[in-house]
Structures are given as C-alpha cells and as structure tokens.
Amino acid sequence: MTPTSIKTNGDCIDRLIKRLEKEIGLKEASKLKETAIEVVQNCVRFYSENFGHGDVGENSTGLVSQPYKGQDPIPNSTTGLIYGRVQSGKTNTTIATLALAHENNFRCFIILTSDNTWLGKQTANRFNNQVQGGPVFFDWEAWKKDPDGFAETKIAPYIKDTGVVLVSTKNGHHLDNLLKVLKAANIKGVPTLIFDDEADNASLNTNESKQAKKGKDAIDNSKIFETIGKIRQEVANHIYIQITATPQSLLLQKLSQPCKPQFCAALPEPGDSYMGGELFFAEKSNYFCIVDAGEIN
C-alpha cells in the first residue's frame, strides 16, 4: 500500500521552526523537524490504515469520513511513542509534531500532563507561546465550571477549521470534565491526536497485578487508565502518542494492550550543550559532591 503523502511545510510549522532556529540553532532545529516529520508520517499512515484515506495528510478534508465501528473498544495500532533522554528536547519535538500534524488536518489535539498543576500550566503555556498561526489553546481551568457550555461556545466555532488544543493534567476530576467536553462538542467527527506526557506515569493500569491475582471482577482498573481509555473511545478516530524518557513499562505491555506502542520515534543524540546524567553522575565527575546529612537542617 502506498503511504499517504504529508505536507512538510505550512505557516504553523514554518513559523515555529524559524523561532526555534534562533533559540537552539539551525542544525538542532532541522533535526527536530526531521523527527516531527517521521512522527507525523507514522500518525497519518496508521490513521489511514485504521480509518481510511483522505481524512488526514496532504490534500485531506480534516473530517472523519468513516467513524470507527470495530469490535475492540480502542482501535488497534493507534499508539505511538516519542522516546528521548531527560531534557533532550522531547517537548520541543512534541510541539513541532503538533504544528506539523495541524498542517496535515488533524483538528483536535489533547495534551495530558502529569498531575501537578504548576507543571501542567508550564506545559500549557509553553505550547501556547510556541505554536502560532495554528489551533486555539485551552486548559482544564477554562472548562471546569461548565464543560457543556464551554464545548458549545469555545470548541464548536473552531474545531472544523482552526482546530483546538485541550490541555489537562492526569487528575481524575480534570479528565472526567475533559470527557464531558469531548462528548458535548462531538469531537469524534474530526481526526484527533492525543499526546500523553510521561505516559508511563499514571496512564498504565496500576491495578493489573492485583487483577491477575484476584480477577478483574474483583478489582477495577485504575482510575486514570480507565478514564484515558474512555477518552480514546470517545474520539475513536485518533492516534495516541506516548512521550517519555523511560519507556520500558510501555514496551513490555501485552500485544493486545492499547498502551503498547506500534511505532516509535527516538530523538537524535542531544547537542554539545546537553547536560544529562552522564555529566553529573559519571565516576569522578566534577559536577557533584556528597553533602553531609546534618546540613539538611
């Protein structure tokens, strides 16, 4: 099967890369865009294979033409992985992937962050500040009081052309409200891309070992895992991208598990200015010292 062609340029992605060239340099920005192209090519490919051609990619409609009606609650082969070392550029790569996916007519973007309000706000602001000429951004604070009204007044006017980005922490209450927004806005009518930051944290079924011993009838799925699953079912025509520096638990999931990635993009080696574990924790490193426990006070 001939892979669906994708757009590699456009106002949103071009403006982002120009800005990143000034911040991190021409070479690093170029590498970052190459990785984003690889990820989006896989997203379009697996979307098209699962749901049909013409919704996303070059010369696409940005609308769901064949709603998913398969037997599995969550379609198979819709999970991908972005892997990179700590502080090696995963967030910038994700931002570039979102901008390029927007050029290829994904219209709803969901960003799930760790259950930490400060970090969640930091992530939301970083995406919002970097992506220009693309979708409109909202975070969990915008819809928490009235999810249905928010869906009608803020999502409906933008979803089919400009596109929307919905950012939520992986907090049970916030995710429940996000699910209400998705249902009220009928997001299932547009192609969706979900980014799960630190996807090995809270997103997996943390009750699986207990269920293996006592049975699923006795032990429910863990709350966050269950709600993310409901979100994925609600926006059935979607691709789910996991992002982490520690992918072991994701890669070791059963083949039938929807958290098992079907494709992976590994970030290139960080640039010369990268400061990671090798620098600080190598044997005889000059960058750390042992502090006496008495100094804690």
Side-chain angles (χ1 to χ4, degrees):
M1 181 181 293
T2 303
T4 302
S5 298
I6 70 166
K7 292 179 64 177
T8 58
N9 293 98
D11 185 53
C12 187
I13 184 64
D14 292 347
R15 289 168 69 172
L16 172 66
I17 295 302
K18 285 183 180 179
R19 193 156 49 251
L20 289 175
E21 287 175 352
K22 296 178 181 178
E23 294 177 8
I24 62 176
L26 184 65
K27 180 180 178 181
E28 298 305 322
S30 177
K31 286 183 180 179
L32 187 148
K33 184 180 179 181
E34 288 175 8
T35 304
I37 290 173
E38 177 188 350
V39 176
V40 173
Q41 181 69 75
N42 275 312
C43 289
V44 170
R45 171 196 164 195
F46 280 92
Y47 181 100
S48 300
E49 290 178 358
N50 276 280
F51 311 118
H53 294 263
D55 297 0
V56 294
E58 194 171 27
N59 302 318
S60 56
T61 64
L63 298 172
V64 169
S65 56
Q66 301 178 45
Y68 174 70
K69 296 180 180 178
Q71 294 182 341
D72 296 314
I74 297 173
N76 288 326
S77 303
T78 54
T79 299
L81 170 69
I82 293 177
Y83 163 73
R85 288 194 283 176
V86 175
Q87 298 296 321
S88 63
K90 293 187 296 299
T91 301
N92 274 340
T93 299
T94 305
I95 292 171
T97 298
L98 187 154
L100 187 60
H102 178 265
E103 305 289 2
N104 284 278
N105 277 332
F106 282 93
R107 281 293 167 259
C108 178
F109 302 92
I110 298 170
I111 301 172
L112 306 178
T113 74
S114 62
D115 186 15
N116 179 301
T117 300
W118 185 85
L119 289 175
K121 284 289 186 182
Q122 182 187 55
T123 298
N125 290 336
R126 190 170 173 186
F127 272 80
N128 194 11
N129 292 335
Q130 290 280 54
V131 179
Q132 299 177 7
V136 293
F137 282 75
F138 303 98
D139 65 44
W140 66 94
E141 296 285 355
W143 62 74
K144 69 177 183 179
K145 292 183 179 179
D146 184 13
D148 290 347
F150 172 84
E152 180 180 351
T153 59
K154 300 298 184 181
I155 301 295
Y158 302 107
I159 190 62
K160 291 185 179 180
D161 45 34
T162 306
V164 297
V165 179
L166 305 173
V167 184
S168 176
T169 66
K170 285 185 274 190
N171 168 282
H173 180 65
H174 293 161
L175 292 177
D176 285 339
N177 280 338
L178 173 60
L179 184 57
K180 292 177 184 177
V181 169
L182 298 174
K183 289 180 177 179
N186 194 29
I187 296 294
K188 64 179 64 177
V190 297
T192 297
L193 196 54
I194 302 173
F195 295 101
D196 189 345
D197 193 24
E198 305 298 344
D200 52 331
N201 177 17
S203 301
L204 297 175
N205 185 9
T206 57
N207 288 342
E208 194 162 2
S209 60
K210 296 178 182 177
Q211 291 173 339
K213 296 177 182 178
K214 298 183 179 180
K216 288 194 173 184
D217 293 335
I219 305 292
D220 292 333
N221 291 331
S222 56
K223 167 67 177 177
I224 304 304
F225 169 79
E226 183 77 15
T227 309
I228 291 176
K230 290 178 181 178
I231 288 171
R232 295 186 67 180
Q233 292 174 51
E234 183 61 32
V235 293
N237 292 53
H238 75 281
I239 296 295
Y240 175 68
I241 302 294
Q242 303 164 322
I243 305 153
T244 185
T246 52
Q248 292 87 341
S249 60
L250 302 173
L251 296 171
L252 292 173
Q253 295 292 303
K254 294 182 291 187
L255 292 175
S256 59
Q257 172 57 254
C259 292
K260 174 82 170 181
Q262 302 297 314
F263 63 90
C264 175
L267 271 62
E269 285 295 305
D272 294 337
S273 61
Y274 175 70
M275 295 185 294
E278 293 89 343
L279 176 69
F280 293 102
F281 301 110
E283 187 176 355
K284 297 182 180 180
S285 170
N286 294 322
Y287 297 94
F288 79 92
C289 65
I290 297 175
V291 178
D292 186 87
E295 294 192 24
I296 292 176
N297 294 329

